[in-house]
C-alpha cells in the first residue's frame, strides 16, 4: 500500500523513506483541496433555448393555484374604528359584532374570510382585540394578545414536527401584521400603548396608525407623529420598517418609512364630490375623502400593506418572528445545532435524555404529591381523633347531666307521690269526718220527732 509503513526487515532508511512519501502525499492532497475551493464556476454557453427560464412562471402558477393567506391583528381600544378601517381597506363589509365597553377582560376574536381579486384567492383572517383598554386595571391587557400569537406559532410548530406533515394545505394562522390603533387624543402615547407595543415587537410586525385622524388639525397631526416616533425610539420599540433592499421598491418604501405612523380615516359611505362618487365622511363644514392623500394616509397604508409589501410581511413573520419562537422552543426541549468545533448529537439520544428527565421529574412530583397526601391524611386523622375525643368527652358530659337530671326527676317524682298519698289520706279522712258529721246532723231531727210523738 502507498500509505503503509513498513518496519522490521526494511531498516531505518526504509521507515524514513515511507514517512517522507506520506508527507509529500499530504502536501499534494492539501493542494488539491485548496485548488478545488478556489476554482471559479464554469460558464457554459447554450446552443439554443432550453426552457428553465420559465421556472419563475411555474412558481407563479403554482402559487396562484394554491392561493395565499394573510392574517391581520387589530389592536386598539373599543370604538376606535378598527372594523371600519378593515371594511374600507378591502372595500367590503365584514361580519362583525359590535363590542361593548363592559368586558371584564381582553379576549381575541378571529374571523376568516375567502376573498378573490382577478384570479388570485386570498384567505384573510382578521383578529380583533375585544375589550382592550376598557378595564380599570390595564396592567395585564397585553397578555391575551401574546398568548394568542404564541398559540398560532405553537400550532404551526406542531404541524411542522409531525411525522406526516401537510404544510402545503395547512391553514397558516400566524399573525403577519399588527395594526396598532393610536387614539388621536392627548399629546403623546399612553403608557398602555408603549407597554403593549414593547411586548409585541419581538412577536409580530407592528405598524402604528393614528385612528380617526380627521379629528385633529393638520399641524397638530404632524406634531403628534413626530412625538409618537420619538417616544417609540426612546423606549426601544421596534416597529416594522418597509424594506429598502429591493431596488424596485426601495425608493417608495424609503419615502413611506418617513410617513410613519400613518394617519388614517375609514368610511364606506359614498359621497358625490364634484362629478364623481368617492368614499368620504361628511361633516357640516365639508367632507373628508378617504382616498385623498391630502386628507389622510389611507392610500399610503393600503399601498404599503397590500400592494407592495404583503409578501415581505409574510416572509418576515416566518423568517424572523417564527424562527425566533421555534429556536427558543427547541432549545427548551434540549435540541441544539452542531458546530464544527462541537460534537454531533443524536436526536434519539436527546429525546431519550429528555424523556428520562421528564420521567424523573414526574416521579419526583408524584413522590411529593404522595408525601403531601400522606401528611394530609395524618393531619386529617389527628384532627378526626381530636374531634372524636371532644365528642366522647361531650357525650360523657351529656350522659352525666342526663343521669343527674334523671335522679332529680326520680326524687321529684317520689316527693310528688308522697305528697299525693298524703293528700289522698287527708282527703279520705276529711270525707270520713264529713260523712260522720252529715250522719249526725240527720239523726238529730229524727230523735226530736220521736220525742214529740211520745
Amino acid at each position: 500500500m502507498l500509505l503503509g509503513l513498513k518496519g522490521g526487515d526494511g531498516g531505518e532508511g526504509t521507515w524514513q523513506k515511507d514517512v517522507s512519501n506520506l508527507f509529500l502525499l499530504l502536501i499534494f492532497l492539501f493542494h488539491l483541496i485548496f485548488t478545488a475551493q478556489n476554482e471559479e464556476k464554469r460558464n457554459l454557453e447554450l446552443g439554443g433555448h432550453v426552457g428553465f427560464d420559465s421556472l419563475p412562471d411555474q412558481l407563479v402558477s403554482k402559487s396562484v393555484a394554491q392561493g395565499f393567506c394573510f392574517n391581520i391583528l387589530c389592536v386598539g381600544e373599543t370604538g376606535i374604528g378598527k372594523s371600519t378601517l378593515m371594511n374600507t381597506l378591502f372595500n367590503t363589509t365584514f361580519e362583525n359584532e359590535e363590542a361593548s365597553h363592559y368586558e371584564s377582560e381582553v379576549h381575541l376574536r378571529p374571523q376568516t374570510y375567502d376573498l378573490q381579486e382577478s384570479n388570485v384567492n386570498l384567505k384573510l383572517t382578521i383578529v380583533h382585540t375585544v375589550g382592550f383598554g376598557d378595564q380599570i386595571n390595564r396592567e395585564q391587557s397585553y397578555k391575551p394578545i401574546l398568548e394568542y400569537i404564541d398559540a398560532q406559532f405553537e400550532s404551526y410548530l406542531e404541524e411542522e414536527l409531525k411525522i406526516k406533515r401537510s404544510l402545503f394545505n395547512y391553514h397558516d394562522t400566524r399573525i403577519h401584521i399588527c395594526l396598532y390603533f393610536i387614539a388621536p387624543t392627548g399629546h403623546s402615547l399612553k403608557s398602555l400603548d408603549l407597554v403593549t407595543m414593547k411586548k409585541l415587537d419581538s412577536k409580530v410586525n407592528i405598524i402604528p396608525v393614528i385612528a380617526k385622524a380627521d379629528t385633529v388639525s393638520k399641524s397638530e397631526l404632524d406634531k403628534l407623529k413626530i412625538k409618537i416616533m420619538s417616544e417609540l425610539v426612546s423606549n426601544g420599540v421596534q416597529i416594522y420598517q418597509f424594506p429598502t433592499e429591493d431596488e424596485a421598491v426601495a425608493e417608495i418604501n424609503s419615502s413611506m418609512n418617513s410617513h410613519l405612523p400613518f394617519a388614517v380615516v375609514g368610511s364606506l359611505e359614498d359621497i358625490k364630490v364634484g362629478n364623481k362618487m368617492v368614499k368620504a365622511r361628511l361633516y357640516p363644514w365639508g367632507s373628508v375623502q378617504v382616498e385623498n392623500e391630502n386628507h389622510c394616509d389611507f392610500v399610503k397604508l393600503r399601498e404599503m400593506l397590500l400592494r407592495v409589501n404583503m409578501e415581505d410581511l409574510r416572509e418576515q413573520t416566518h423568517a424572523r418572528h417564527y424562527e425566533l419562537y421555534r429556536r427558543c422552543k427547541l432549545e427548551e426541549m434540549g435540541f441544539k445545532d452542531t458546530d464544527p468545533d462541537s460534537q454531533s448529537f443524536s436526536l434519539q439520544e436527546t429525546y431519550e435524555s429528555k424523556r428520562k428527565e421528564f420521567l424523573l421529574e414526574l416521579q419526583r412530583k408524584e413522590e411529593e404529591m404522595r408525601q403531601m397526601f400522606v401528611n394530609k391524611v395524618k393531619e386529617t386523622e389527628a384532627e378526626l381523633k381530636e374531634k372524636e375525643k371532644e365528642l366522647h368527652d361531650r357525650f360523657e358530659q351529656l350522659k352525666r347531666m342526663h343521669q343527674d337530671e334523671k335522679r332529680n326527676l326520680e326524687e321529684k317524682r317520689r316527693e310528688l307521690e308522697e305528697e299525693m298519698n298524703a293528700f289522698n289520706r287527708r282527703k279520705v279522712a276529711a270525707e270520713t269526718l264529713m260523712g260522720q258529721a252529715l250522719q249526725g246532723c240527720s239523726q238529730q231531727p229524727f230523735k226530736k220527732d220521736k220525742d214529740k210523738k211520745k
Side-chain angles (χ1 to χ4, degrees):
M1 292 176 64
L2 182 62
L3 297 180
L5 297 180
K6 297 180 180 179
D9 297 336
E12 183 178 356
T14 304
W15 180 81
Q16 291 177 349
K17 185 177 179 180
D18 290 336
V19 172
S20 177
N21 291 335
L22 178 61
F23 181 74
L24 291 175
L25 180 60
L26 290 174
I27 293 176
F28 178 71
L29 290 175
F30 279 121
H31 175 71
L32 288 177
I33 294 173
F34 181 80
T35 304
Q37 289 178 347
N38 291 275
E39 184 180 2
E40 295 182 357
K41 295 180 179 179
R42 294 180 298 171
N43 293 323
L44 298 178
E45 294 184 1
L46 301 178
H49 181 261
V50 177
F52 58 79
D53 59 349
S54 65
L55 182 59
D57 297 332
Q58 298 175 33
L59 292 176
V60 169
S61 300
K62 181 179 178 181
S63 298
V64 170
Q66 185 176 355
F68 302 89
C69 68
F70 193 61
N71 307 317
I72 303 176
L73 172 64
C74 299
V75 180
E77 299 176 2
T78 304
I80 204 171
K82 302 185 292 295
S83 300
T84 303
L85 182 64
M86 290 297 101
N87 293 338
T88 311
L89 199 61
F90 291 94
N91 196 25
T92 186
T93 302
F94 296 114
E95 299 176 0
N96 189 28
E97 298 179 4
E98 185 175 348
S100 66
H101 289 275
Y102 304 101
E103 300 290 340
S104 59
E105 60 182 9
V106 179
H107 62 274
L108 281 78
R109 185 169 60 198
Q111 292 178 315
T112 302
Y113 309 93
D114 292 322
L115 305 180
Q116 183 176 4
E117 188 174 28
S118 298
N119 64 331
V120 178
N121 295 316
L122 177 67
K123 186 178 288 293
L124 176 68
T125 300
I126 300 175
V127 184
H128 291 280
T129 53
V130 181
F132 182 79
D134 290 337
Q135 294 76 35
I136 296 176
N137 184 7
R138 306 177 182 178
E139 185 177 356
Q140 306 297 329
S141 295
Y142 64 88
K143 280 193 173 181
I145 304 175
L146 287 179
E147 291 172 357
Y148 179 84
I149 295 174
D150 286 342
Q152 311 317 307
F153 285 154
E154 181 70 19
S155 178
Y156 191 88
L157 181 60
E158 288 178 358
E159 182 65 29
E160 203 174 40
L161 294 177
K162 285 181 179 179
I163 297 176
K164 295 182 179 180
R165 299 182 299 177
S166 57
L167 293 175
F168 65 94
N169 61 356
Y170 173 75
H171 181 206
D172 187 4
T173 58
R174 295 173 297 176
I175 300 299
H176 299 123
I177 180 64
C178 169
L179 293 178
Y180 195 94
F181 289 73
I182 301 171
T185 55
H187 302 286
S188 61
L189 290 170
K190 300 177 182 178
S191 58
L192 175 63
D193 300 330
L194 286 172
V195 171
T196 304
M197 281 193 277
K198 183 63 177 176
K199 295 291 183 180
L200 293 178
D201 62 359
S202 62
K203 301 282 186 180
V204 67
N205 303 311
I206 300 176
I207 294 182
V209 295
I210 301 174
K212 297 183 177 180
D214 53 338
T215 61
V216 186
S217 66
K218 192 71 175 177
S219 59
E220 291 177 346
L221 194 59
D222 294 336
K223 293 178 182 178
L224 182 59
K225 283 187 175 184
I226 296 173
K227 184 67 175 177
I228 289 173
M229 292 304 298
S230 175
E231 289 191 350
L232 291 176
V233 172
S234 61
N235 287 276
V237 178
Q238 300 292 328
I239 63 173
Y240 175 75
Q241 295 290 320
F242 303 117
T244 57
E245 293 81 8
D246 189 358
E247 295 181 358
V249 295
E251 184 178 354
I252 184 173
N253 280 350
S254 178
S255 174
M256 290 299 103
N257 282 329
S258 62
H259 284 83
L260 291 173
F262 293 130
V264 296
V265 176
S267 175
L268 287 177
E269 184 179 359
D270 292 325
I271 297 176
K272 188 174 183 180
V273 176
N275 296 326
K276 61 179 182 178
M277 301 296 292
V278 297
K279 296 188 182 301
R281 299 183 70 88
L282 187 62
Y283 296 96
W285 45 262
S287 62
V288 176
Q289 300 177 30
V290 172
E291 296 181 342
N292 189 335
E293 296 190 43
N294 294 323
H295 291 183
C296 68
D297 297 332
F298 173 80
V299 174
K300 296 183 178 67
L301 174 64
R302 185 178 60 187
E303 293 291 300
M304 291 296 98
L305 187 63
L306 303 179
R307 190 180 69 84
V308 180
N309 297 301
M310 178 183 282
E311 182 56 30
D312 184 74
L313 288 167
R314 287 156 42 89
E315 183 180 348
Q316 286 291 323
T317 299
H318 181 80
R320 180 188 170 193
H321 301 295
Y322 170 70
E323 282 300 320
L324 177 61
Y325 175 85
R326 176 179 174 275
R327 185 185 69 189
C328 296
K329 201 70 175 178
L330 293 180
E331 286 177 352
E332 290 178 3
M333 296 168 63
F335 296 98
K336 59 183 179 180
D337 292 332
T338 55
D339 298 327
D341 299 333
S342 63
Q343 296 180 353
S344 60
F345 73 100
S346 170
L347 293 178
Q348 183 67 23
E349 293 177 357
T350 303
Y351 168 76
E352 290 296 336
S353 63
K354 279 293 177 182
R355 185 171 180 272
K356 289 179 181 178
E357 291 179 5
F358 174 75
L359 291 176
L360 291 175
E361 182 68 17
L362 184 62
Q363 290 177 1
R364 186 183 64 82
K365 290 185 177 180
E366 286 181 353
E367 186 62 29
E368 289 180 356
M369 293 181 66
R370 188 179 295 109
Q371 190 64 33
M372 187 184 302
F373 177 75
V374 170
N375 295 336
K376 196 70 176 176
V377 169
K378 290 181 179 179
E379 292 177 0
T380 306
E381 287 180 352
E383 292 178 359
L384 289 174
K385 288 181 179 179
E386 186 68 24
K387 293 291 185 182
E388 184 180 3
K389 183 180 178 182
E390 291 179 1
L391 289 174
H392 182 71
D393 295 340
R394 181 65 176 168
F395 174 73
E396 293 295 331
Q397 183 181 2
L398 291 175
K399 187 177 179 180
R400 288 192 298 269
M401 292 175 61
H402 175 70
Q403 291 176 352
D404 294 340
E405 290 180 356
K406 186 176 180 180
R407 284 194 298 268
N408 293 333
L409 289 174
E410 289 292 336
E411 291 178 359
K412 288 182 178 180
R413 186 174 66 81
R414 287 194 297 268
E415 292 176 357
L416 288 174
E417 288 179 351
E418 291 176 356
E419 290 180 0
M420 289 177 64
N421 292 333
F423 175 76
N424 290 330
R425 287 193 297 269
R426 289 195 298 270
K427 181 180 178 182
V428 170
E431 289 178 351
T432 304
L433 292 175
M434 184 67 70
Q436 291 177 356
L438 291 174
Q439 187 177 4
C441 290
S442 61
Q443 288 178 356
Q444 284 181 359
F446 181 72
K447 288 179 179 180
K448 289 180 180 181
D449 292 339
K450 238 180 175 186
D451 291 338
K452 289 180 179 181
K453 290 179 179 179
K454 287 180 178 180

